[in-house]
Amino acid sequence: KNEVEQSPQNLTAQEGEFITINCSYSVGISALHWLQQHPGGGIVSLFMLSSGKKKHGRLIATINIQEKHSSLHITASHPRDSAVYICAVRRSGNTPLVFGKGTRLSVIA
Amino acid sequence: SAVISQKPSRDICQRGTSLTIQCQVDSQVTMMFWYRQQPGQSLTLIATANQGSEATYESGFVIDKFPISRPNLTFSTLTVSNMSPEDSSIYLCSVTEDTQYFGPGTRLTVL
């Protein structure tokens, strides 16, 4: 079993829909990252969470440390949100990230 | 924030040859991470490169195949040696500051 599990693996949505991507992990962590990878390959860090909730524009990320679960929400989705969204956790300090397999999101106009 | 550049951005190489990928960061960082992303897969850590010491390799990756240099706090290279088609991947370097930063990646195709 992978240390970081994401669901769904693939997601297709209509423009304007509210989207949720889930991440569960099985180890103790110091931080959880949500990353976005566009088709060109570049990866951008959207959020780094250790507790609670963060919001940036139409993106919201939440984490429940007790349940070892995080969600990424996209409100009013747009075709430009189409990308692979990756959940990654860090166990402690400056240890390397452990990555989920990603969720491929396609938003159709 | 950190800005990371990688060279080359892509290359097509013949089996049996080697390619060296360069990673430059615009600030001094202690650790640099090298990742591989095979087609359709997520990222896999190859090694952690510390300045002034040997790189630490993950299970399944060895120094003879993926030698790494870290001559200073802003630069690192990863060499993919004796390449085979199975080495076709995107190779990314990454650093940690306030958050995680990734280079744009090097897309390698081995024929």
Side-chain angles (χ1 to χ4, degrees), chain B residues 3-87:
Chain B
V3 177
I4 305 175
S5 59
Q6 281 186 236
K7 287 195 290 188
S9 59
R10 58 176 63 229
D11 207 343
I12 300 172
C13 300
Q14 294 296 321
R15 183 195 298 260
T17 62
S18 297
L19 177 72
T20 295
I21 302 167
Q22 299 179 8
C23 178
Q24 179 76 52
V25 188
D26 70 343
S27 57
Q28 294 184 338
V29 292
T30 305
M31 290 175 144
M32 295 176 76
F33 303 100
W34 284 99
Y35 291 94
R36 179 175 76 181
Q37 186 177 31
Q38 294 177 301
Q41 303 295 313
S42 193
L43 285 78
T44 301
L45 181 66
I46 298 171
T48 303
N50 296 317
Q51 194 270 333
S53 64
E54 291 283 332
T56 303
Y57 289 82
E58 297 299 302
S59 176
F61 297 96
V62 295
I63 189 170
D64 289 346
K65 174 68 176 177
F66 297 100
I68 287 172
S69 77
R70 185 79 201 275
N72 58 53
L73 290 173
T74 65
F75 186 79
S76 178
T77 68
L78 169 76
T79 299
V80 186
S81 303
N82 189 24
M83 288 184 284
S84 67
E86 293 70 35
D87 294 319

